[in-house]
Amino acid sequence: MRTSSSRRGRRTAFTAVAAAVAVATGAALLTGCGGDDGDDAAAAGTEKITLRIGTFGSFGYDNATGAKLYAEYEKTHPNITIEESNVADGQKYWDTLKLRLSRDSGLADIQALEVGYIAEATGPAMAGKWADLATSGGADLGAFLDWKVKQATTADGKVIGLGTDIGPMAICYNKDLFAKAGLPTDRTEVAKLWAGDWAKFLQAGETYKKSAPEGTSFHDSASGLFNAVVSSEPVQYANAKGELDYENSPGVKKAWDTAVAAAKGELTAKLRQFDEKGTWNAAFKNAKFATVACPSWMTGIIKEQAGAENQGKWDIAAPPVAGNWGGSFLAVPKSGKHAKEAAELAAWLTAPAQHAKVFGVNGNIPSTKDTLTSPAVQDAKLAYFGDTPVGRIYSQAAAGITPAPISRWDGQVKTFLTDNGILDIEQRGTDPAKAWENVRKLVNDKIDK
């Protein structure tokens, strides 16, 4: 799951299984732990308790637009009531979660963690705050992708998070706008435009720009492009030792240069993804841009925001380079009153059977091996995208993922680079050298490396 990453809905059917991702917004960032008294009753499984889950974006568990997993679990555990508190802005969610962790107060029984912050969550300052899900809850760690488990493992071997989804990437494009601009619309031919090189993607943008329908742009945002490019690089914000080293990263340099070129070349609609005013969302409905970097969770956003009037107009093509943008975990704070029950619920929600159900209604690509390679995923299509082999495109992209080293500051540095660097260039015309220096100052001022 991606947050303001973040990435998010109504239900949409795959023709084999269903898929969609939606932004479910909530009033509270996180919710406090709580429950009734009665430890003996809890041990016997008869105490009436409420388990609270703090999430961002759309995890697909809820009873309204998701896979109704909460209702299913409550049916087999009549003493348990599940409440989810959800927000769209992942950075705000994380900032609030860190504060509450430092106080051991106000935490939910289960807290979702985005991959950009997992290294900080497993680091020395926070590692002791979480339950070890390798020894509690009954999760089958062998069912998950090995690298997904490794990301959530502390230096002393504790597993503090169970994988929910991953974010294999593609490019989603508006076929109507491509046709009007004289570009091919067949997804195979479209993929050939930029195969193997993000520079070719910009070249396709220049071609689009020459005959672009009035009031439209090739790409939605330079920040989104930055995230897409850096997500496809083997070296991102950290070096091989897991130390923050974004200034020397070839991946960050390539992503920055590519995003700056797109902004300076006026290839983007100059939008901030997931902005609170809803301008980015409205641009989908009004067909203001022709392409968007498209991790698997983005498909539901397109369906939800572009709306029924644009169904059949969007398609999905392979990206220039395979990458992974997003992916999350469920973690259990040790200080929770019902940590045992919370660990059991987290293990159940992230088991392969539940991964398949979430994929079926929400489109989140599973992080469990057998689910990822199952026919239900491989052969899936998304009705909103017509006959597009959605499952095959994303499962092939997932097979090409080579996880990059991560540092505890990746999420925050990414926010500085996009929201305070690229966006300033794109929307305010800030000189790229000045924007980079501004990012450096923010990192130096805000991050204690």
Side-chain angles (χ1 to χ4, degrees), residues 284-308:
F284 278 107
K285 187 176 294 292
N286 297 320
K288 293 295 185 181
F289 51 82
T291 65
V292 60
C294 207
S296 50
W297 44 260
M298 186 70 78
T299 57
I301 294 176
I302 294 173
K303 178 262 175 184
E304 182 70 13
Q305 301 306 332

Side-chain angles (χ1 to χ4, degrees), residues 108 177 334 371:
L177 294 182
K334 279 171 50 174
T371 321

Side-chain angles (χ1 to χ4, degrees), residues 260-281:
V260 168
K264 301 290 281 185
E266 298 186 343
L267 302 181
T268 75
K270 302 181 180 181
L271 298 170
R272 180 183 182 273
Q273 293 185 332
F274 313 105
D275 68 299
E276 295 177 354
K277 294 180 180 179
T279 307
W280 182 66
N281 291 340

Side-chain angles (χ1 to χ4, degrees), residues 49-348:
I49 65 173
T50 297
L51 294 179
R52 296 179 171 86
I53 301 180
T55 65
F56 49 86
S58 176
F59 281 70
Y61 303 145
D62 64 278
N63 301 328
T65 62
K68 303 184 185 301
L69 295 188
Y70 297 150
E72 182 179 346
Y73 195 81
E74 289 169 343
K75 187 175 181 179
T76 57
H77 297 75
N79 64 311
I80 291 176
T81 299
I82 302 170
E83 295 180 357
E84 178 180 349
S85 179
N86 174 274
V87 294
D89 192 318
Q91 185 64 57
K92 291 180 180 177
Y93 170 93
W94 176 244
D95 290 343
T96 303
L97 176 55
K98 284 201 300 182
L99 177 63
R100 294 186 176 181
L101 278 171
S102 70
R103 298 172 175 174
D104 282 329
S105 175
L107 294 161
D109 297 286
I110 296 174
Q111 296 283 177
L113 301 175
E114 207 262 347
V115 65
Y117 307 103
I118 192 65
E120 188 172 2
T122 58
M126 293 189 190
K129 299 286 187 179
W130 309 102
D132 181 5
L133 298 179
T135 60
S136 61
D140 178 9
L141 297 182
F144 295 92
L145 294 166
D146 294 341
W147 58 264
K148 190 75 173 176
V149 177
K150 184 178 179 181
Q151 286 178 331
T153 302
T154 64
D156 60 355
K158 293 175 181 155
V159 178
I160 64 106
L162 300 177
T164 57
D165 61 330
I166 56 177
M169 194 168 54
I171 298 292
C172 291
Y173 63 99
N174 187 305
K175 291 185 289 186
D176 276 11
L177 294 182
F178 264 47
K180 291 174 181 177
L183 291 172
T185 58
D186 175 79
R187 69 185 69 91
T188 301
E189 295 303 312
V190 169
K192 289 179 181 178
L193 293 174
W194 48 66
D197 193 345
W198 285 103
K200 292 181 181 179
F201 185 73
L202 297 184
Q203 291 171 9
E206 293 291 350
T207 302
Y208 178 89
K209 182 180 173 182
K210 291 176 183 177
S211 303
E214 185 176 358
T216 71
S217 300
F218 177 65
H219 200 59
D220 69 318
S221 74
S223 294
L225 182 58
F226 174 91
N227 282 325
V229 176
V230 79
S231 296
S232 68
E233 288 294 309
V235 178
Q236 299 175 13
Y237 307 98
N239 60 27
K241 297 180 180 179
E243 300 165 336
L244 181 64
D245 194 23
Y246 74 100
E247 291 188 82
N248 298 309
S249 165
V252 169
K253 176 174 172 47
K254 178 180 287 188
W256 178 272
D257 290 347
T258 303
V260 168
K264 301 290 281 185
E266 298 186 343
L267 302 181
T268 75
K270 302 181 180 181
L271 298 170
R272 180 183 182 273
Q273 293 185 332
F274 313 105
D275 68 299
E276 295 177 354
K277 294 180 180 179
T279 307
W280 182 66
N281 291 340
F284 278 107
K285 187 176 294 292
N286 297 320
K288 293 295 185 181
F289 51 82
T291 65
V292 60
C294 207
S296 50
W297 44 260
M298 186 70 78
T299 57
I301 294 176
I302 294 173
K303 178 262 175 184
E304 182 70 13
Q305 301 306 332
E309 61 268 37
N310 289 303
Q311 183 167 346
K313 295 181 180 180
W314 283 86
D315 208 333
I316 308 171
V321 184
N324 184 75
W325 177 1
S328 299
F329 305 81
L330 296 184
V332 175
K334 279 171 50 174
S335 61
K337 183 175 181 180
H338 304 296
K340 175 181 178 294
E341 293 85 354
E344 291 171 354
L345 175 57
W348 185 83

Side-chain angles (χ1 to χ4, degrees), residues 342-362:
E344 291 171 354
L345 175 57
W348 185 83
L349 288 171
T350 56
Q354 278 60 256
H355 273 182
K357 294 169 190 173
V358 170
F359 175 77
V361 299
N362 217 52

